[in-house]
Every structure is written in C-alpha cells, then in structure tokens.
C-alpha cells in the first residue's frame, strides 16, 4: 500500500470520526424549535471549545456540518451573530 493510499484512508477515517462526533454533540439539539426544547444559541468557537477535549474539530468542519443540517444564524441583542440552536430540556 502506498503512502498516498494510507494517507487517504486516514483522512477518510478522520472525516468519519468528525461526522460521528458532531452527530453525537447535536443528538439532543435541533435547528428548529420543538416542544420540550429551549433555545441555546452557540458560536462556532463555543462549539469548538466544547468538542476540544475529545478532538480538535476545525471551524470549517463545524460550519459545514451546521449548514448541511439546516442550522441558521441569528443575531443576539448585543449584535453578535450565533447559530440558532434548540436543545432538549
């Protein structure tokens, strides 16, 4: 097996793990309000910080995941922009 093939396999496993990790993080969260859910908006940095003890996920990986799963941004009262996230209470 060549170095390129090994590198591609490692990259594929890493991408699969990042997807699994983000799926786990969002299992009790949703992009839309639901009964029994409370709004808990997050910045990309906050999500990254919460995942850091498990694995270093890039901001690009987080943003890609959020967009693919229908999350939208919202503007807080102080003017900062966050992801609109609803969490199961």
């Amino acid at each position: 097996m060549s170095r390129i093939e090994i590198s591609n396999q490692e990259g594929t496993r890493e991408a699969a793990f990042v997807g699994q990790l983000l799926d786990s993080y969002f299992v009790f969260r949703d992009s839309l309000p639901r009964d029994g859910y409370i709004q808990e908006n997050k910045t990309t940095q906050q999500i990254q910080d919460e995942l850091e003890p498990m694995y270093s996920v890039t901001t690009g990986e987080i943003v890609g995941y959020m967009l693919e799963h229908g999350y939208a941004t919202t503007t807080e009262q102080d003017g900062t922009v966050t992801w609109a996230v609803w969490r199961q209470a």
Side-chain angles (χ1 to χ4, degrees), residues 11 54 66 84 88:
M54 188 69 181
M66 301 298 279
Q88 191 173 358

Side-chain angles (χ1 to χ4, degrees), residues 3-15:
R3 288 183 186 173
I4 293 172
E5 289 172 322
I6 292 169
S7 178
N8 286 343
Q9 282 183 342
E10 289 172 358
T12 300
R13 281 194 301 261
E14 183 177 352

Side-chain angles (χ1 to χ4, degrees), residues 18-29:
V18 168
Q20 179 184 357
L21 182 61
L22 287 164
D23 283 344
S24 294
Y25 180 82
F26 285 99
V27 73
F28 296 114
R29 294 176 171 94

